[in-house]
Amino acid sequence: MDLDSLLTTVITSTAALVAIIGGFLVSRVISISSEQSSVKRKLREFNNDIKTKEDLLKQVETYLFQEDLNDFIDDDDAIKGLIKGNNLEKIVQETEYDSLPLEKLRLYFEQLLEIKNEIVEGGEATLEEFKEKNAMKYPEREKWYERIYEVFGEMVEAQSSTVPGWMSGFKTPAMVSSEYNDKKKELARLKEELTVLRTQRKEQESILKEYGQPKYVMSGLIVLAYAAVVGIIYPSTLMPYPMDTYDDVTTKWWILSLFFSHIFVIFSYLFIAMKKLGGIEEN
């Protein structure tokens, strides 16, 4: 029995089916690549926005920190407590100062304490005299030296004054900087925007990770490989078909069984892939 025509038909039919599946996979890969590029572009935009807002946030935090620190320095009661030798915890408790946490304030409080000790050890009556005779340990903190000298003077005057010393450091609500309040609002706004941007970035990273594991592409390649082996490569090895060498009937049904098997595999793959990608079932 001459099986060349059967083998040719099987090979041709399989090649056509492989081409269909191959086209489907190529279009899928192109689509994934395009969507992946879009996600990467969005990620770059989110990263740029996040970096910009983080820089702005640091600037605002630095400004607010410096303003809060200046408030502490400008508080006469705080400086008086320092001069009297009170520790930071007691000063904060007595002045009810809660703008900065203790761990952040402590470093600057220790600098203030060193400045106070410098002034006491120097014994000069004015800052000008102190600067003439001594090298300031913290020259960039000259304002702090001025404040300590100022409060020293107030304490000396208060001993002979009927005006309560605490009034010299009294602040009305009108003295609160409007810029400070604006920066507070800006800080809250930036933190909220950063939270939203980071959530969106995380979602895009999750989508990008899914694109790194595309559905049905690898399984499609396996189906193609199976079809190519049993429907093209193997039948090709039997051509031209040798007469009176094999059991022709058995070979015929074997070839047809392999052909039917890869037909079933291909159409099963297409049915499942189309059903999933078409959204008929939940992913």
Side-chain angles (χ1 to χ4, degrees):
M1 182 186 298
D2 186 4
L3 297 180
D4 282 344
S5 58
L6 175 63
L7 294 173
T8 301
T9 301
V10 169
I11 292 171
T12 304
S13 301
T14 303
L17 291 171
V18 168
I20 293 172
I21 302 299
F24 171 78
L25 291 179
V26 168
S27 65
R28 176 66 175 155
V29 169
I30 292 174
S31 174
I32 289 173
S33 177
S34 175
E35 293 171 358
Q36 198 174 44
S37 298
S38 176
V39 172
K40 287 181 178 179
R41 184 175 63 254
K42 289 181 180 179
L43 269 176
R44 285 194 298 269
E45 292 174 356
F46 283 133
N47 286 331
N48 291 335
D49 288 345
I50 288 173
K51 186 178 184 306
T52 300
K53 292 190 183 297
E54 283 177 341
D55 292 340
L56 289 173
L57 185 67
K58 287 179 181 178
Q59 293 175 12
V60 173
E61 286 177 338
T62 300
Y63 171 86
L64 292 174
F65 176 82
Q66 194 60 48
E67 287 296 305
D68 290 337
L69 184 59
N70 289 338
D71 285 344
F72 181 79
I73 303 299
D74 290 336
D75 191 319
D76 285 357
D77 289 336
I79 302 301
K80 287 176 183 178
L82 171 76
I83 292 172
K84 292 176 181 178
N86 296 338
N87 59 34
L88 179 59
E89 287 77 5
K90 185 176 181 180
I91 293 173
V92 169
Q93 183 179 5
E94 289 179 349
T95 58
E96 297 182 354
Y97 180 83
D98 59 358
S99 296
L100 289 174
L102 283 177
E103 58 272 13
K104 285 189 176 181
L105 188 58
R106 191 173 301 281
L107 172 63
Y108 300 94
F109 179 78
E110 291 174 355
Q111 291 181 2
L112 271 171
L113 189 59
E114 291 178 12
I115 291 173
K116 187 263 291 188
N117 291 336
E118 275 188 85
I119 293 173
V120 171
E121 291 171 4
E124 285 74 24
T126 65
L127 178 60
E128 288 70 22
E129 293 178 2
F130 177 85
K131 289 193 293 184
E132 287 177 3
K133 298 180 181 180
N134 303 276
M136 290 189 294
K137 187 174 182 180
Y138 298 100
E140 73 281 3
R141 302 293 191 186
E142 185 172 342
K143 180 183 176 182
W144 294 10
Y145 287 82
E146 292 176 359
R147 281 292 298 142
I148 292 177
Y149 262 106
E150 180 182 338
V151 176
F152 261 129
E154 291 177 359
M155 292 176 71
V156 172
E157 291 178 3
Q159 292 178 358
S160 59
S161 173
T162 58
V163 179
W166 63 267
M167 292 186 65
S168 61
F170 181 72
K171 292 184 179 181
T172 65
M175 297 174 64
V176 178
S177 169
S178 60
E179 184 179 3
Y180 181 88
N181 290 332
D182 291 341
K183 291 292 185 181
K184 278 282 190 179
K185 293 176 182 178
E186 185 178 359
L187 181 70
R189 177 180 59 81
L190 286 171
K191 286 183 177 180
E192 184 177 351
E193 290 177 357
L194 277 171
T195 300
V196 173
L197 285 171
R198 285 167 180 158
T199 301
Q200 292 175 332
R201 180 177 66 178
K202 187 175 181 180
E203 183 178 348
Q204 292 298 316
E205 288 173 343
S206 177
I207 293 173
L208 187 62
K209 185 177 180 181
E210 290 181 3
Y211 282 136
Q213 302 173 342
K215 295 180 179 179
Y216 310 115
V217 173
M218 287 304 300
S219 56
L221 289 175
I222 294 173
V223 169
L224 283 182
Y226 176 74
V229 169
V230 303
I232 298 176
I233 296 175
Y234 176 67
S236 297
T237 62
L238 299 178
M239 294 185 67
Y241 183 74
M243 303 291 291
D244 302 325
T245 302
Y246 305 110
D247 185 336
D248 296 342
V249 175
T250 302
T251 302
K252 169 187 173 182
W253 286 109
W254 173 242
I255 295 296
L256 289 175
S257 297
L258 291 177
F259 178 70
F260 293 149
S261 71
H262 81 65
I263 288 289
F264 174 78
V265 170
I266 286 175
F267 279 96
S268 296
Y269 166 77
L270 285 175
F271 175 77
I272 294 173
M274 292 299 183
K275 194 173 182 181
K276 291 284 187 180
L277 294 176
I280 297 177
E281 289 186 0
E282 294 182 358
N283 290 329

